Amino acid sequence: TTHQDEEVFKQIFIPILQGLALAAKECSLDSDYFKYPLMALGELCETKFGKTHPVCNLVKVVEKYFSGPAITLENTRVVSQSLQHYLELGRQELFKILHSILLNGETREAALSYMAAVVNANMKKAQMQTDDRLVSTDGFMLNFLWVLQQLSTKIKLETVDPTYIFHPRCRITLPNDETRVNATMEDVNDWLTELYGDQPPFSEPKFPTECFFLTLHAHHLSILPSCRRYIRRLRAIRELNRTVEDLKNNESQWKDSPLATRHREMLKRCKTQLK
């Protein structure tokens, strides 16, 4: 069959996957068209021949809603519900794709490596101040967390190795200066020396353990930074509103002064930022 002839299979399906990737990039949540490339990719990834998912082998672990002058509180609620619905659909398809790749034995390791790479590449998101150019967006991390949460729903805690984070084959790379509760660096080093003694308590890492710890760290790298950004944005909006009100209320004092042009530009800039 075609999937057994690797070259023919690639010639047929790689252009399809590339087309789906391009289609997904051009989509937006302002309509439900975004879901069709994801649904198609999900169906392809779920296609199974024997014990393999051949399409998974080809998958390289590769403000329109709230704009407008007439947005009311009720409109915002309706639009938010619609947006949440679309997000749910998109995330479900992403889960199906990653789940299929993990089920496929030939791509499971690559998928786990990708998941770990996302976590490790975004460790700086846990910091109070982060250069956004060097890390993933909050939206990406929240979507990533949602998928990991779905993968973790059936994990039983008794199957999780609590010492995994210190395992020699742990996929998560913690910074050396990671904050620790009631322990100096010397205490940590002494404890690790004892842990890695003659008979280390480590067993071969299993998927439940790896998925659990990846999900745990994804929580730390997605929800907390998103909340901090939201709080900063609310604070900035309050400051902008206060500036606009002050300029308007005191316009009679500065409109004929040498600073009038500067104040008008500031007022215009603040109003633009508030839109």
Side-chain angles (χ1 to χ4, degrees), residues 5 13 37 54 58 60 64 98 121 125 151 160 168-170 178 184 195 214-215 234 244 270-271:
D5 189 331
F13 282 96
L58 302 181
K60 297 190 184 297
K64 296 184 180 180
L98 185 57
K125 283 185 74 70
L151 292 172
V160 176
R169 294 181 57 188
C170 178
E178 184 77 0
T184 65
L195 185 67
L214 287 169
T215 305
L234 288 179
V244 169
C270 290
K271 287 182 176 180

Side-chain angles (χ1 to χ4, degrees), residues 68-116:
I71 290 295
T72 64
L73 181 60
E74 185 59 33
N75 288 342
T76 301
R77 290 197 186 100
V78 173
V79 170
S80 295
Q81 291 173 357
S82 176
L83 177 58
Q84 288 170 5
H85 173 69
Y86 285 147
L87 279 173
E88 187 79 10
L89 288 176
R91 287 168 172 174
Q92 287 173 355
E93 295 302 324
L94 291 172
F95 166 71
K96 285 169 58 178
I97 294 167
L98 185 57
H99 186 246
S100 296
I101 295 173
L102 286 167
L103 286 177
N104 187 50
E106 296 179 35
T107 54
R108 184 178 300 119
E109 178 62 26
L112 284 168
S113 296
Y114 168 75
M115 292 157 62

